[in-house]
Amino acid sequence: MMTNPLDKAAFDTLRETGHGGIGAMLKAVGTFSRTAQTMGIESVDYAKQSMIHANETMKALAKVQTPQAAMEIQTTYLKGSYERLMAQANLMADLYQGLARDLTKPVEGRVRGGLPAAA
C-alpha cells in the first residue's frame, strides 16, 4: 500500500513554517518602512539646516568690509558644514546598521532553528 507523502502532520508543519515566514517577512517590511521614513526625515532636515546655514553665511559675507573678515566667515562656514556632514554620515550609518540588525533578527532564529544539530 502506498502512503501519502503529505500526511496531516507534515502538512501542519509546512503550514506553520509558511505562516512564520510570512510573519517574519511582514515584520521586516514594517521595519524597513519605518527606517526609510526616519532616513527621509533626517535627510530633509539636514538639507534644510544646510540651506539655512548657507543663507546666513551669504548674508554675513555681504556685510564684510575686509578680505580677512570674509576668509574668517568662509572658514567658519566650511568647518560647520564639515561637522554637520560628518554627524549626518554617522547618523545614517547608525540607521543602516540598525536596519540590517533588525531585518536579520526575525530570520536569524528561523535559520538557527532549521539547522541540524552539530555532531
Side-chain angles (χ1 to χ4, degrees):
M1 202 179 258
M2 188 176 264
T3 60
N4 186 357
L6 284 178
D7 61 359
K8 183 169 175 18
F11 183 74
D12 288 344
T13 302
L14 183 63
R15 184 182 50 166
E16 288 173 17
T17 302
H19 284 297
I22 290 171
M25 182 188 69
L26 291 175
K27 186 174 182 179
V29 168
T31 298
F32 178 79
S33 176
R34 285 188 301 277
T35 303
Q37 182 180 18
T38 301
M39 288 177 174
I41 290 168
E42 292 296 335
S43 295
V44 168
D45 187 49
Y46 172 75
K48 180 181 174 184
Q49 292 301 320
S50 293
M51 290 298 294
I52 290 170
H53 187 70
N55 189 28
E56 290 170 353
T57 301
M58 291 304 292
K59 287 179 182 178
L61 283 172
K63 297 176 184 177
V64 297
Q65 300 293 323
T66 65
Q68 179 67 25
M71 290 298 288
E72 288 174 9
I73 291 171
Q74 288 177 332
T75 301
T76 302
Y77 170 75
L78 291 174
K79 182 180 177 187
S81 294
Y82 176 77
E83 289 170 355
R84 278 193 321 284
L85 177 63
M86 290 296 101
Q88 182 70 10
N90 288 331
L91 174 67
M92 288 297 173
D94 290 344
L95 287 171
Y96 276 113
Q97 287 173 350
L99 177 62
R101 183 180 53 251
D102 292 344
L103 287 180
T104 57
K105 196 178 297 181
V107 178
E108 185 178 271
R110 298 191 62 76
V111 170
R112 285 189 184 153
L115 294 176

